[in-house]
Amino acid sequence: MWISFFKLRLFCCLLAVLMVVVLVINVTQVEYLDHETVSATFIDSSGQFVSSQVTGISRNPYCGYEHQTLSSRERMEEDSLLAALQWQVPDVGPVPFLKSTDPSSSYFVILNSAAFFKVGSQLEVLVHVQDFQRKPKKYGGDYLQARIHSPKLQAGAVGRVVDYQNGFYKVFFTLLWPGKVKVSISLVHPTEGIRVLQHLQEEKPHRVYFKSLFRSGRISETTECNVCLPGSLPLCNFTDLYTGEPWFCFKPKKLPCSSRINHFKGGYLKGLLTAAENAFFQSGVNIKMPINSSGPDWVTVIPRRIKETNNLELSQGSGTFPSGYYYKDQWRPRKFKMRQFNDPDNITECLQRKVVYLFGDSTIRQWFEYLTTFVPDLVEFNLGSPKNVGPFLAVDQKHSILLKYRCHGPPIRFTTVFSNELHYVANELNGIVGGKNTVVAIAVWSHFSTFPLEVYIRRLRNIRRAVVQLLDRSPKTVVVIRTANAQELGPEVSLFNSDWYNFQLDTILRKMFSGVGVYLVDAWEMTLAHYLPHKLHPDEVIVKNQLDMFLSFVCPLET
């Protein structure tokens, strides 16, 4: 009996040891496969999912946007957008600092000077740029910003700049109010600085880097993440299954990809420029510096007769430039009558029984903050979300108003966003039923400034597709797009968030949503035309005008 019991115990021990050996072998094999194999999922032009297993990866760097499969129509649109944004910078080889554009030596002159102008007249200004040796430059490519303004009237409007590629620029203004009107021209970046920014955009898309924390039990690891990742280490593929938006993290050494718990901005790469290149980015020297006039810098504008004014209004086409102007600190769009929502009750009446969705970056989060501060009945509901990240929710139960804010999916430079809150705008739009009581506002631009333009084009293509589908199923849904805006610039900020980068994004956004059936809040002109300093997050008076325009789309004047 004891012999049989001993044999049984021996058999059980041997079986247990065998099971442990098999388990170790399997775990080792799984870990080996996990390290050596990366799953890549993309969507082809027909919208079908295409999945492939990539083994022995070699990337330098790996960029998901290079692996897109576009339809012929999408390819044609992308090529057209990129061609339209070709900045004419001559290939003149290395240029020493003294031969670069000097705003203090450059000047402008009003061409069609007259005793007076009438409201609606065109004003032409010629700009001649020179270098630091006070010698005329023979090529173009500088980035200029121009506006007209009347400080006493708190009035302002932007101008259109034409580069003649020979050191001369012409700026065209439409005179839109009577009085003494002053001209201001600024050099944002010299040609030589633009060449550096182009190189960074094409060769250093990872100069802003992101990270994610992976955790399982007591083990935690942090790795770098991005659309583009240099090197050849194994990756975790977080490409979105519905939009095909690529996102990758370097794989943790000990943890599986599924253990990711958050996303956050890692930082900014340093030492991007040589000493010679740094000279083209100096505050107080060649970043957003004024160019002075060689003569009078102002004109006198007199009112038009009533009949002429009516004809002027009727002649404004769909391509109206500028889109609007400030007068007495109020924005006046040229294509429609904008309402003033100066009382919280006006906003409550407009938004009653409506659900308002705000999607995007921190510049549209400002709208949420303004509304919840200005309208006392709109009470923010504490969701326990991280400050400045969201998602956020505000409710006015008495008037049945629901206001929501959610940030867009990566890339996003917020402090910490939980992984389960990384939602793409297109996917959110696909989950909205829509209707006459549904309002959607979108602002997606600031966090894409460091990437090649193809990354932004793809993101907008996905959002546009979702917007079109939303308007198809619910035509009475109001969809509003907030454009990019100018901001303060210094030597470092210029390398990551330059107005030149954001001007490109703004141009793409306008072209891609033209004719889609959405409304546009022209934040770009609203910041450039105003007398206040440029800021990434504009001051309250500018935000208030943005909200007045937004609400005027939601609740237009009866005509």
Side-chain angles (χ1 to χ4, degrees):
M1 174 180 172
W2 289 108
I3 295 174
S4 299
F5 180 70
F6 177 77
K7 288 182 179 180
L8 182 61
R9 287 184 61 186
L10 180 64
F11 175 76
C12 290
C13 289
L14 289 173
L15 184 61
V17 170
L18 181 62
M19 290 177 66
V20 169
V21 171
V22 171
L23 180 62
V24 169
I25 293 174
N26 277 293
V27 168
T28 304
Q29 183 69 14
V30 168
E31 287 184 346
Y32 173 81
L33 289 172
D34 206 13
H35 276 276
E36 294 298 316
T37 306
V38 176
S39 171
T41 306
F42 302 100
I43 298 177
D44 69 9
S45 58
S46 63
Q48 299 298 312
F49 293 104
V50 180
S51 181
S52 60
Q53 297 294 323
V54 184
T55 308
I57 306 123
S58 177
R59 304 166 310 280
N60 191 28
Y62 178 85
C63 291
Y65 68 88
E66 294 177 348
H67 296 260
Q68 295 180 85
T69 303
L70 302 180
S71 67
S72 58
R73 186 173 181 176
E74 290 170 341
R75 175 61 63 191
M76 187 181 301
E77 180 188 44
E78 185 169 294
D79 290 345
S80 175
L81 289 168
L82 295 176
L85 289 167
Q86 283 293 322
W87 198 266
Q88 297 298 317
V89 176
D91 187 12
V92 293
V95 177
F97 171 72
L98 291 178
K99 290 187 178 295
S100 66
T101 305
D102 176 15
S104 64
S105 298
S106 305
Y107 62 89
F108 72 84
V109 59
I110 296 174
L111 289 181
N112 53 339
S113 57
F116 58 84
F117 293 81
K118 290 184 178 180
V119 171
S121 299
Q122 292 291 307
L123 181 67
E124 296 182 12
V125 173
L126 186 69
V127 184
H128 191 195
V129 296
Q130 299 186 140
D131 62 24
F132 284 89
Q133 298 174 325
R134 306 191 74 85
K135 294 181 180 179
K137 293 190 71 176
K138 303 297 183 183
Y139 55 86
D142 301 289
Y143 178 38
L144 308 178
Q145 289 175 349
R147 73 183 182 108
I148 49 174
H149 54 109
S150 298
K152 291 184 178 180
L153 296 172
Q154 295 179 307
V158 302
R160 180 169 58 89
V161 180
V162 176
D163 184 351
Y164 288 97
Q165 296 297 315
N166 57 4
F168 287 92
Y169 301 79
K170 190 174 281 189
V171 186
F172 298 89
F173 297 100
T174 301
L175 301 169
L176 295 165
W177 63 88
K180 183 178 178 179
V181 178
K182 181 179 171 63
V183 176
S184 292
I185 310 290
S186 297
L187 173 75
V188 182
H189 295 300
T191 309
E192 297 73 23
I194 296 296
R195 293 176 65 185
V196 175
L197 295 180
Q198 284 181 323
H199 173 75
L200 292 176
Q201 188 177 47
E202 295 164 2
E203 304 297 330
K204 301 284 186 180
H206 56 287
R207 61 191 181 279
V208 175
Y209 57 95
F210 306 86
K211 291 188 175 183
S212 275
L213 174 66
F214 296 78
R215 180 183 293 159
S216 179
R218 295 182 178 181
I219 302 174
S220 62
E221 295 182 61
T222 299
T223 71
E224 186 177 336
C225 308
N226 219 317
V227 173
C228 298
L229 286 173
S232 56
L233 295 174
L235 299 176
C236 289
N237 180 4
F238 297 111
T239 297
D240 183 65
L241 295 177
Y242 300 99
T243 63
E245 292 284 356
W247 191 254
F248 301 90
C249 297
F250 286 125
K251 188 183 182 304
K253 294 180 179 179
K254 299 179 181 179
L255 296 174
C257 295
S258 58
S259 63
R260 181 179 67 152
I261 65 170
N262 67 20
H263 162 97
F264 58 96
K265 180 184 70 178
Y268 300 87
L269 291 182
K270 306 293 183 181
L272 293 168
L273 307 184
T274 64
E277 291 171 334
N278 273 318
F280 302 135
F281 299 92
Q282 299 183 63
S283 295
V285 177
N286 51 17
I287 298 177
K288 283 206 174 181
M289 290 298 293
I291 294 175
N292 296 319
S293 172
S294 64
D297 62 354
W298 59 274
V299 297
T300 299
V301 183
I302 63 173
R304 280 180 176 266
R305 294 192 299 270
I306 295 177
K307 183 177 180 181
E308 291 177 321
T309 303
N310 290 337
N311 290 338
L312 175 66
E313 296 294 330
L314 289 172
S315 67
Q316 294 173 5
S318 59
T320 302
F321 183 88
S323 67
Y325 63 99
Y326 283 106
Y327 191 77
K328 296 182 178 179
D329 239 0
Q330 294 180 352
W331 183 252
R332 296 188 175 185
R334 297 177 67 198
K335 291 173 63 178
F336 76 103
K337 183 71 172 177
M338 189 174 89
R339 297 177 58 187
Q340 300 297 320
F341 292 81
N342 299 324
D343 190 283
D345 290 341
N346 301 146
I347 298 179
T348 298
E349 182 183 0
C350 174
L351 296 182
Q352 191 165 359
R353 294 186 297 278
K354 286 182 171 55
V355 179
V356 182
Y357 299 90
L358 305 178
F359 296 121
D361 54 41
S362 56
T363 62
I364 205 165
R365 189 187 69 221
Q366 273 192 293
W367 291 13
F368 182 93
E369 293 163 350
Y370 178 91
L371 289 170
T372 53
T373 301
F374 186 67
V375 182
D377 289 338
L378 203 51
V379 180
E380 184 173 354
F381 188 80
N382 186 5
L383 298 175
S385 302
K387 185 180 178 182
N388 298 333
V389 175
F392 301 128
L393 174 70
V395 178
D396 178 350
Q397 289 186 327
K398 181 179 177 181
H399 301 98
S400 301
I401 301 173
L402 185 62
L403 177 66
K404 298 181 177 184
Y405 164 77
R406 179 177 288 280
C407 66
H408 63 71
I412 191 155
R413 302 174 199 159
F414 286 176
T415 48
T416 300
V417 185
F418 296 120
S419 298
N420 62 341
E421 297 293 355
L422 290 172
H423 296 199
Y424 289 93
V425 174
N427 292 339
E428 292 295 301
L429 293 173
N430 287 334
I432 296 174
V433 175
K436 65 179 182 179
N437 290 323
T438 301
V439 181
V440 176
I442 303 167
V444 177
W445 60 277
S446 179
H447 300 258
F448 288 81
S449 56
T450 55
F451 293 96
L453 296 175
E454 292 91 340
V455 175
Y456 188 60
I457 292 172
R458 176 186 49 221
R459 181 62 56 91
L460 291 191
R461 187 186 297 124
N462 283 322
I463 293 174
R464 183 181 60 185
R465 184 185 298 117
V467 166
V468 170
Q469 292 171 350
L470 172 60
L471 294 176
D472 279 347
R473 64 179 176 267
S474 302
K476 292 185 178 180
T477 306
V478 175
V479 180
V480 180
I481 307 291
R482 182 205 186 277
T483 72
N485 61 261
Q487 68 174 90
E488 69 277 23
L489 296 179
E492 185 174 26
V493 174
S494 295
L495 307 183
F496 304 97
N497 254 43
S498 167
D499 281 359
W500 182 74
Y501 289 139
N502 294 327
F503 172 72
Q504 293 180 306
L505 303 182
D506 187 68
T507 302
I508 289 172
L509 183 144
R510 292 169 190 267
K511 287 180 177 292
M512 291 190 68
F513 280 92
S514 175
V516 172
V518 300
Y519 298 98
L520 208 68
V521 171
D522 199 335
W524 186 261
E525 287 195 21
M526 288 173 136
T527 47
L528 287 182
H530 205 270
Y531 56 82
L532 286 173
H534 300 162
K535 295 181 180 179
L536 173 61
H537 302 112
D539 286 334
E540 184 175 305
V541 62
I542 299 176
V543 176
K544 194 265 184 192
N545 277 288
Q546 293 174 2
L547 264 297
D548 283 347
M549 194 169 183
F550 164 67
L551 293 169
S552 295
F553 293 136
V554 179
C555 306
L557 284 168
E558 301 264 341
T559 57

